[in-house]
Structures are given as C-alpha cells and as structure tokens.
Amino acid sequence: MADAVQTAAPRRPLAGRVLLGVGVIAICSTALAGGLVAAIGPDRAMRLLSPADTAEPASEDTPADEGAGQGQAPAGMTVRPFKEIIVNITANTLSGRRTSRFLKLNLALVYDATLPGAENIDERVLFIRDGFQDYLRQLTETDLQGSIGLVRLKSELLRRARAISDSDAPQELLIADLIIQ
C-alpha cells in the first residue's frame, strides 16, 4: 500500500511541471521578441515578419562609383569612411594613479541614401567627426573593455551621427581599428 501512495503522488506534480514549463517558455519567447524589437527597432522587426518585403528586389540602383574604394554595401546603403581619429583617454594604473592613454579609431558610417536627410551626412561630416571626438575624449579605458564596451561605443556614436545629421539615415558604424596604447 505504501507503494501505491508513492506512485500516485508524482502524477499531479508532473502536470504542474508541464504547465510551469509551458509558462516559462511563453514568458521567455515574449521577452526574446521584445528584446529583438528593442534592438533592431519596430520597423525592421515588422520587415522580418513579412517575407514579401524581403523577396522584392531593390527598386533603385546605386551609381557605379558610389561604392568605389569603400567595399560592398547593400543596395541603397552607402559606406562613408572617416579619417583616423586619435584622442587621449584616461586610465588608472595598478597603484591607482591616473594616466593618459591614446585611443586610435578607424571607422566608417553606413547610411541609407534613400531616406530623407541622407544628403545632410556629406555636408555635416566634419561636425559628425567633431561630435565623435567630443564623446571619445570623455571615455576612460574601462569604458571600452569587453564586448559591452564596444556595443556602447558604437551605439553612442551612431546616436550622435543621427542627431548631427538630423536624420535616421545612419544605420550602423563599422569599426576597422580600435587601439588603446
């Protein structure tokens, strides 16, 4: 009789565990979808859901000289390299003393030439570079450590490029070199 009680008891918790597992999977899926929308934006998330938009070819052709010397870019996208940026950043030694280090950065701005305001980017490239330098001079060596430091750097520089160009045309920043010496 003791065996009958032991075998009957696990059946109810098993059903509860299955419901709990389904609930956890639903919550994780919702969180994943929300994170995706937050990371890439609602417009791009909707484009991912509609396969008809991705199957259509690009309607506008890019001029042949637009991507010359700048690498390949998707249709409608332009890659605008910047001159090398070298700034001083602060760092702390093992003894806690503040020192100065050099940050050397080579980057390129990828922007959508079909969006309104994209023409402002070439006109304001010096202002964008100046905005980048203002931000970079405020950084410390610890701000740039790890992959999260690189993500923060790229997102802040992209935010500044969008603000200075007064458009949503800037889509991404490509970092070719990032050297701290």
Side-chain angles (χ1 to χ4, degrees):
M1 181 144 177
D3 292 322
V5 172
Q6 289 178 356
T7 58
R11 288 187 183 172
R12 286 186 183 164
L14 180 62
R17 288 181 190 165
V18 170
L19 287 175
L20 179 64
V22 169
V24 168
I25 289 172
I27 290 172
C28 289
S29 300
T30 304
L32 180 65
L36 178 70
V37 170
I40 66 172
D43 294 334
R44 284 187 180 169
M46 291 306 294
R47 278 189 250 150
L48 285 176
L49 294 176
S50 58
D53 289 343
T54 58
E56 293 177 9
S59 59
E60 294 183 21
D61 294 329
T62 57
D65 63 338
E66 184 176 301
Q70 299 175 356
Q72 296 294 327
M77 299 297 247
T78 303
V79 178
R80 175 68 166 94
F82 285 88
K83 292 181 182 176
E84 182 177 85
I85 298 173
I86 300 175
V87 295
N88 288 333
I89 60 171
T90 58
N92 291 325
T93 63
L94 293 175
S95 62
R97 189 173 57 100
R98 294 193 102 178
T99 62
S100 181
R101 300 215 182 215
F102 289 107
L103 169 67
K104 178 181 171 182
L105 186 65
N106 281 326
L107 56 90
L109 178 67
V110 179
Y111 65 95
D112 189 349
T114 61
L115 290 177
E119 64 277 358
N120 295 342
I121 292 174
D122 286 330
E123 297 171 359
R124 299 180 181 174
V125 72
L126 291 175
F127 297 102
I128 294 172
R129 182 180 159 89
D130 182 60
F132 288 175
Q133 286 183 349
D134 287 344
Y135 172 69
L136 293 170
R137 285 191 176 108
Q138 298 172 17
L139 295 177
T140 63
E141 186 178 32
T142 57
D143 292 335
L144 299 169
Q145 288 181 343
S147 58
I148 192 70
L150 187 62
V151 169
R152 285 184 191 144
L153 173 69
K154 288 174 84 171
S155 65
E156 180 61 29
L157 292 178
L158 183 61
R159 185 187 71 76
R160 288 173 183 262
R162 287 179 176 167
I164 293 170
S165 68
D166 196 28
S167 76
D168 288 331
Q171 298 295 311
E172 188 174 355
L173 274 164
L174 305 174
I175 297 181
D177 296 317
L178 187 138
I179 300 170
I180 299 173
Q181 188 174 6

